[in-house]
Amino acid sequence: QKEVEQDPGPLSVPEGAIVSLNCTYSNSAFQYFMWYRQYSRKGPELLMYTYSSGNKEDGRFTAQVDKSSKYISLFIRDSQPSDSATYLCAMSATNAGKSTFGDGTTLTVKP
Amino acid sequence: DGGITQSPKYLFRKEGQNVTLSCEQNLNHDAMYWYRQDPGQGLRLIYYSQIVNDFQKGDIAEGYSVSREKKESFPLTVTSAQKNPTAFYLCASSPGAGGTEAFFGQGTRLTVV
């Protein structure tokens, strides 16, 4: 079993929809949680970085961490065609070490 | 502009050849990483380095080698021992002791011909 499991997708939504992307994990030592966005044939870019449980909001994006359930989510409000990409979750036990990545969820937002 | 530069963007290798992928960063980050990404799959860690002159194997190090002689440089050599080298290779860096979030280069697509 993988340490990090990500909803596989693909996911296709109409423009303006609310999107929910999710990951579960098994390692209770994880404390740092990241979401990356990767456009086709490009390197991933960091979207959100969260420490421990709780919510973090940045514009149309909200990251949610529930450590008791070992579950993290990324919500995208008012989705746009430019949000079409693969989204990767990542986690780390320390703030100075390597991260473990999920396999990614590919999102398509249709105009 | 601060960032991570990978070169070349595309690379073709004949079977039995070694090739070296370049990764340079000017973010003054301590930690650097190499990942491999296959179609439809996530990132798999090849090697990482948290400090100059030191590096550790990741989950799929066989057939690869690295060096970290300078803080800003972390080249990856794909050797002939790597039986299935065709993939998208991503280099990343992170602050290290100051944070684990990674900043990625734009990748090198390696194809065996």
Side-chain angles (χ1 to χ4, degrees):
Chain A
Q1 184 183 3
K2 292 182 179 180
E3 272 192 309
V4 178
E5 298 277 0
Q6 186 166 358
D7 286 354
L11 199 56
S12 181
V13 301
E15 184 174 354
I18 297 175
V19 176
S20 172
L21 304 165
N22 308 295
C23 290
T24 58
Y25 62 95
S26 58
N27 188 346
S28 58
F30 287 147
Q31 298 188 79
Y32 298 87
F33 304 92
M34 284 74 64
W35 284 97
Y36 295 85
R37 177 175 62 196
Q38 184 177 26
Y39 291 114
S40 181
R41 301 179 185 271
K42 301 289 186 184
E45 57 179 321
L46 181 68
L47 271 180
M48 302 287 279
Y49 177 53
T50 311
Y51 170 68
S52 196
S53 285
N55 292 356
K56 185 174 183 179
E57 189 173 319
D58 184 2
R60 297 184 294 110
F61 298 90
T62 299
Q64 193 172 79
V65 175
D66 182 350
K67 290 187 69 179
S68 63
S69 301
K70 297 190 179 67
Y71 189 88
I72 71 169
S73 299
L74 178 71
F75 297 96
I76 306 174
R77 292 184 299 279
D78 187 25
S79 56
Q80 303 295 310
S82 58
D83 295 327
S84 298
T86 296
Y87 291 81
L88 299 157
C89 65
M91 319 181 178
S92 175
T94 72
N95 71 342
K98 61 186 176 77
S99 299
T100 302
F101 283 79
D103 285 345
T105 301
T106 298
L107 169 68
T108 301
V109 181
K110 296 183 176 179
Chain B
D1 281 337
I4 299 178
T5 302
Q6 288 187 244
S7 61
K9 189 172 181 179
Y10 299 97
L11 187 58
F12 297 89
R13 188 194 98 169
K14 293 182 180 179
E15 293 211 18
Q17 278 185 338
N18 292 355
V19 291
T20 297
L21 283 59
S22 171
C23 178
E24 303 277 332
Q25 55 104 354
N26 60 5
L27 299 167
N28 199 33
H29 284 172
D30 287 318
M32 296 188 75
Y33 312 83
W34 274 105
Y35 292 93
R36 170 180 172 142
Q37 187 175 36
D38 293 285
Q41 297 189 31
L43 306 181
R44 292 187 289 168
L45 183 64
I46 304 172
Y47 270 97
Y48 66 104
S49 167
Q50 293 184 297
I51 197 169
V52 174
N53 292 323
D54 188 45
F55 48 82
Q56 288 79 42
K57 292 181 179 180
D59 301 318
I60 56 165
E62 186 175 350
Y64 300 97
S65 66
V66 294
S67 63
R68 186 85 188 276
E69 297 177 0
K70 297 186 296 182
K71 186 176 185 178
E72 58 270 23
S73 179
F74 192 41
L76 173 74
T77 296
V78 184
T79 76
S80 57
Q82 171 49 239
K83 297 306 178 189
N84 186 22
T86 295
F88 189 46
Y89 290 88
L90 287 160
C91 178
S93 70
S94 69
T100 192
E101 68 275 26
F103 296 83
F104 285 84
Q106 290 304 294
T108 293
R109 190 165 298 277
L110 174 63
T111 303
V112 173
V113 296

